[in-house]
Amino acid sequence: MKLLLIFILFFNISFARAQQGIDSLNALLSNPLDQSQKAYLFDELSYQWFYENLDSSLFYGVIAYSEFSKLNDPQGLSQAATSVAVAHHYLNNWDSAVLYYKEALSIREANKSTRIASSLNNLGVVFMDQEDYEEAMKYYIKAMEVRELSNDTIGVALTKINLGLIFKKQSIFNKALSYYKESIETLEKFNQQKHLEVALLNMGAIYNTLKEYDTAKLYNIKLRNLASQRSSQRNLAKSFVNLANSYQGLGFLDSSLYYANKGLKFFEAQNDTLNMANSLLSITQSHFEGKNYKTVIAYSKRLEQLNKIVGNMEIAIENQLMLAKAFAALNDYENAYSKLENSFYLKDSFLTTSLNETISDLTVKYETEQKEKEISQLKITTQDSIIAEQEAANQRNLLLFLAGFLILGAILLFLLLRTKSKSNAIIGKSLSEKETLLKEIHHRVKNNLQVISSLLSLQSRFIEDKDAKALVNEGQNRVKSMALIHQKLYQKDNLTGVEAADYIQNLTSTLCSTYGIDMQKVDVTYDVDHLNLDVDTMIPIGLILNELISNSFKYAFPSGEGTLSITLKEKEKNLILSVKDNGIGSTQEINMADSFGMRMIQSLARKLEAEVDFDLSDGTKASLTITHYKLYNY
């Protein structure tokens, strides 16, 4: 009879969840229920409140745990202990979470429950969130072994998600993606949408980290749609933060801030400090990309205070780096150096070689070794006292060694810092001298090219033949296009790269003046990516542009009116360069034109490993697909 009542109660709970949710569950409390029914009802309320308010979830979980403690119901007690643990977990009460998770595991192991793997997995998650990856990996592998022995396909997929997250946090992305893809295939096959959300969330985060933002956006939008459809508010908010990071990488900063603030608003209402910190980090990074450096510093300091509660090392490292870059952009190099030094210190302590080796060893052991029967425990009672005495002696020797090592280390550190300070000063002075010298070289090259240009200009005055004079003037324009490159180099701090958009606009403006083009009548448009090209790439591109733009100005617009569009885009690891005018066009096969300019274009194109195409159907359009080029990052 009692089982029948519990079944009826569960039916009513399921119906209430579908119809009215928490309100219907509260209404059921007014019904005459026995102690067991009330306990299950309180546990269900804890589950329902988890998606709305963590404090309320903990409140009802504790009541359920108290009620089950009075009953002989190990299944209910282990479930209530898990509910309490989950609420503590997401409130970042780590010690309490571990305590209740371990109690649930102990009860389930004692009663040979089918939920043992679930408890092992929960412990793995809580240790992973505390960044104790070695301990987390141990529990995950135990959970995997239990689930494989019981042919729990879905459970294996869930553990693979968590193993993937361990590798993600250790930046072993290929291994992480492999686990996630395997788990997604299984979860989609069995229509496990709740767990599928978690896999999609982590896939989107990894592709964001790999800066494959288009792919990341696809996974994050898929997560957003699924979570919205299922009313999974927490995962929906997490998808917002992931989307914010994708849009940030794609350069859509307004969209990035919109989604990051939506996520932050939800997590603040939940008092979910860890995800609040992730949201703030995304907002801070978007403001940095938007060059709002003072706003970056304000948000970074807020994040720093919040992370004192969270204690997340990854967030601390990213935040210190962000502060360093913001201070550097504001020319506050003392603070920038301090924050950069902090980030390196945190990173060294976070990603230790020994930790990575431990995790790798554990994984290899799991993946390669055959499961063996447990070996009977050796009888070592008589050896216990000897071992204990030896351990005590070892501890004394270790303490003495450490004391001597610390003293020696302090002396060496002092000497190292003093030497480093002197070395940094010498290196800084040397770099400054080399930069000054390099600027002077570019300045002199530019001056020499200017002299050549002036000589050609002077020479043209004494040439009466119009064709010869035009050829000399064209040569002068080519020299000017190269001189302009070196001028850009010594005028800015960037000594080995040229900003393509700025250079192309300056070159076009110079040619307009040379050929007397009225800019009110000839409309020149630009579609040029923000590219910083190496000098060896920019010079041939500049000479090609000089020829193509000059030809348009000379021949395309006999009436003095028209449009000229110049495009330089990076697409699929190629540069696409095009110059198009809507002029009178030409009936001549330009590719075969026997002129010095066209031969020079073909020669320079070969240097750039580029294909040259001309389209004469509507005016003249010259297009080059450049495969050999070099970008300069500064």
Side-chain angles (χ1 to χ4, degrees), residues 305-358:
Q305 290 300 315
L306 179 63
N307 200 40
K308 288 180 181 178
I309 301 170
V310 178
N312 186 284
M313 192 72 76
E314 288 178 287
I315 292 173
I317 292 168
E318 287 294 327
N319 194 37
Q320 291 296 309
L321 282 172
M322 195 60 55
L323 272 172
K325 291 190 283 188
F327 280 123
L330 293 171
N331 297 324
D332 185 352
Y333 297 110
E334 183 177 353
N335 272 321
Y337 178 79
S338 173
K339 299 302 179 184
L340 187 63
E341 194 172 41
N342 287 346
S343 70
F344 286 150
Y345 172 77
L346 291 170
K347 194 168 185 179
D348 285 344
S349 61
F350 176 55
L351 297 174
T352 60
T353 304
S354 60
L355 177 59
N356 284 326
E357 288 177 352
T358 301

Side-chain angles (χ1 to χ4, degrees), residues 311-501:
N312 186 284
M313 192 72 76
E314 288 178 287
I315 292 173
I317 292 168
E318 287 294 327
N319 194 37
Q320 291 296 309
L321 282 172
M322 195 60 55
L323 272 172
K325 291 190 283 188
F327 280 123
L330 293 171
N331 297 324
D332 185 352
Y333 297 110
E334 183 177 353
N335 272 321
Y337 178 79
S338 173
K339 299 302 179 184
L340 187 63
E341 194 172 41
N342 287 346
S343 70
F344 286 150
Y345 172 77
L346 291 170
K347 194 168 185 179
D348 285 344
S349 61
F350 176 55
L351 297 174
T352 60
T353 304
S354 60
L355 177 59
N356 284 326
E357 288 177 352
T358 301
I359 290 172
S360 296
D361 289 345
L362 287 168
T363 309
V364 169
K365 180 180 179 181
Y366 162 70
E367 292 179 344
T368 59
E369 290 184 356
Q370 295 292 329
K371 301 199 173 40
E372 300 177 353
K373 293 181 180 180
E374 294 184 0
I375 301 173
S376 300
Q377 186 178 3
L378 297 175
K379 295 182 179 180
I380 54 172
T381 307
T382 56
Q383 300 178 14
D384 285 348
S385 58
I386 298 173
I387 293 173
E389 184 178 345
Q390 185 63 46
E391 286 181 349
N394 289 341
Q395 282 186 332
R396 287 194 300 271
N397 292 337
L398 180 60
L399 287 172
L400 290 172
F401 172 76
L402 286 175
F405 180 77
L406 288 173
I407 293 170
L408 179 61
I411 295 170
L412 290 174
L413 181 61
F414 170 75
L415 295 173
L416 179 62
L417 288 174
R418 189 169 67 176
T419 304
K420 182 180 178 183
S421 178
K422 292 180 180 179
S423 298
N424 286 344
I426 294 169
I427 292 169
K429 182 179 179 182
S430 176
L431 285 174
S432 178
E433 290 173 351
K434 289 178 180 178
E435 286 182 0
T436 302
L437 179 60
L438 193 53
K439 284 185 178 182
E440 180 63 24
I441 290 170
H442 284 303
H443 194 183
R444 292 188 182 185
V445 171
K446 176 258 183 184
N447 287 345
N448 289 337
L449 290 171
Q450 289 279 32
V451 170
I452 295 170
S453 176
S454 298
L455 288 172
L456 289 171
S457 176
L458 182 63
Q459 183 67 42
S460 68
R461 298 177 188 176
F462 298 96
I463 298 175
E464 296 181 359
D465 185 279
K466 290 184 179 180
D467 292 336
K469 189 170 186 176
L471 290 173
V472 172
N473 288 335
E474 287 176 2
Q476 184 183 1
N477 287 335
R478 293 170 186 133
V479 172
K480 283 182 179 179
S481 72
M482 291 188 290
L484 183 59
I485 291 173
H486 291 280
Q487 181 179 332
K488 295 294 180 187
L489 289 171
Y490 78 74
Q491 284 180 342
K492 296 186 177 181
D493 292 334
N494 180 10
L495 295 174
T496 58
V498 179
E499 172 54 50

Side-chain angles (χ1 to χ4, degrees), residues 13 38 40 54 56 97 135 138 143 162 210 248 270 288 290 317 379 395 405 424 441 491 537 597 599 622 634:
I13 288 173
K38 283 186 177 180
Y40 276 103
L54 291 172
S56 297
E135 198 69 16
K138 289 177 182 177
N162 290 324
L210 293 172
Q248 180 191 127
Q270 292 286 300
F288 180 82
I317 292 168
K379 295 182 179 180
Q395 282 186 332
F405 180 77
N424 286 344
I441 290 170
Q491 284 180 342
T537 302
R599 288 203 301 272
Y634 61 102

Side-chain angles (χ1 to χ4, degrees), residues 94-121:
W94 308 116
D95 292 340
S96 297
V98 171
L99 177 67
Y100 280 100
Y101 278 141
K102 285 187 174 180
E103 181 172 357
L105 174 62
S106 177
I107 294 169
R108 287 168 174 172
E109 286 179 334
N111 291 274
K112 298 182 179 179
S113 167
T114 58
R115 302 283 293 165
I116 291 173
S118 178
S119 290
L120 289 167
N121 192 72

Side-chain angles (χ1 to χ4, degrees), residues 50 54 89-92 234 238 263-264 266-279 306 310:
F50 172 76
L54 291 172
H89 184 166
Y90 281 86
L91 286 167
N92 298 332
R234 184 176 302 281
K238 288 182 178 181
L264 178 62
F266 174 83
F267 294 126
E268 284 178 334
Q270 292 286 300
N271 194 28
D272 186 341
T273 51
L274 176 60
N275 284 302
M276 283 167 60
N278 285 322
S279 303
L306 179 63
V310 178

Side-chain angles (χ1 to χ4, degrees), residues 573-623:
K573 297 184 179 180
N574 290 326
L575 282 182
I576 310 300
L577 173 66
S578 73
V579 178
K580 182 181 186 308
D581 63 59
N582 67 341
I584 61 174
S586 174
T587 58
Q588 183 182 13
E589 289 294 330
I590 294 180
N591 283 335
M592 302 302 293
D594 189 18
S595 69
F596 174 75
M598 287 302 156
R599 288 203 301 272
M600 186 177 73
I601 289 174
Q602 295 290 353
S603 175
L604 293 170
R606 285 194 293 273
K607 180 179 179 181
L608 296 169
E609 297 180 11
E611 297 178 4
V612 187
D613 292 308
F614 288 93
D615 181 359
L616 309 178
S617 60
D618 179 19
T620 302
K621 179 180 179 182
S623 302

